[in-house]
Every structure is written in structure tokens, then in C-alpha cells.
Amino acid sequence: MELISPRTFSISVIALTLAIANFTRGASTSSGAASGNAASTAAVTGRVQNIVTGKYLSNARVAVKGTQIIALTDEAGAYHLVNVPTGSIVLEVFYTDLDRQEVSLTVSSGQRVEQNIELTSKARYGQNLEALKLDPFL
């Protein structure tokens, strides 16, 4: 087994670090170019919750209507949409067995908007959600 000298190892690590940095910089530049100007976009984040059960929903689909911008929620119900076009947008939210929801927003350039979303199923839980809420157990 042949050992690599410390100098050769150091040079290899530096070359790899520079290659990764160049790749990352190129990826961010190309994504900015694809969306027009990075300064003319915004970000939208939030959480998706089943309003009846109170559970945050994993794998809910959140999309900007009319675009290819889509995110799935994580285990905590959180989603992050980036490179969102500025102006008026509509978020389309879907989760299996719950009613689809559309949420209208207005976002400004460079802005990060937080939009939490509450889903339900009118067929399953009815129209009046207040009837389902109980007093706290004492």
C-alpha cells in the first residue's frame, strides 16, 4: 500500500475545495439567470397544518400557480419556496384526503414572506369547525 505525502494530500484538498466553490458559484449564477434577475424574486415560507387535528402535515404539496416552483413540507410541516416571482401570486396547497386550498399573496422583490396554511376536509369534518372544538380537559 502506497502512502500519499502530506504535501500531495494538502494540494488535493485545496483543489477539491476550489472545484466545489466554483461549482456552487456557477450553480447559483445559473439559477439567478434562469429566473431573470435574482433581485426581482422573493421567498415564501411557512407551515401547513390540519386545522382540526392540530397536526403539522408532512409531504403536503405547496406550489406557485402557473410556475414550476413546488415544495413538499418536511416532518414539521414547513415549506420553503425560493425564486418566487414578485407581484401577485397564488399558492396551491394539496394534501391527500384534505380539501385543496388556494392562497393569494403579494410579494415584493427580495422579500421573505411567511404564510402558514390551515387545511381541513369539509366532507369529513363538516362546515362548522367550532362544533368540533372541546373545552380543555381539567
Side-chain angles (χ1 to χ4, degrees), residues 119-133:
L119 298 179
T120 187
S121 171
K122 291 179 183 172
R124 182 182 301 156
Y125 303 118
Q127 296 286 340
N128 184 3
L129 296 179
E130 293 299 319
L132 295 175
K133 293 185 179 180

Side-chain angles (χ1 to χ4, degrees), residues 42-105:
V44 180
T45 64
R47 295 176 80 187
V48 179
Q49 181 181 35
N50 180 328
I51 188 65
V52 175
T53 65
K55 287 181 59 177
Y56 287 98
L57 303 173
S58 176
N59 292 320
R61 182 182 181 269
V62 182
V64 178
K65 188 173 186 174
T67 72
Q68 296 296 316
I69 302 170
I70 299 170
L72 295 176
T73 57
D74 63 15
E75 298 81 26
Y79 71 92
H80 306 281
L81 298 168
V82 295
N83 294 327
V84 175
T86 58
S88 296
I89 63 166
V90 176
L91 297 181
E92 297 177 312
V93 186
F94 170 79
Y95 188 81
T96 303
D97 291 336
L98 297 179
D99 299 335
R100 289 179 185 259
Q101 190 175 108
E102 290 190 354
V103 179
S104 297
L105 295 174

Side-chain angles (χ1 to χ4, degrees), residues 1 3 5 11 16 18 25 32 43 48 57 60 67 70-71 93 98:
M1 181 165 86
L3 296 176
S5 73
I11 291 171
L16 181 60
L18 290 173
R25 186 173 55 231
V48 179
L57 303 173
T67 72
I70 299 170
V93 186
L98 297 179

Side-chain angles (χ1 to χ4, degrees), residues 12-26:
S12 298
V13 169
I14 291 169
L16 181 60
T17 303
L18 290 173
I20 291 171
N22 284 334
F23 176 78
T24 304
R25 186 173 55 231

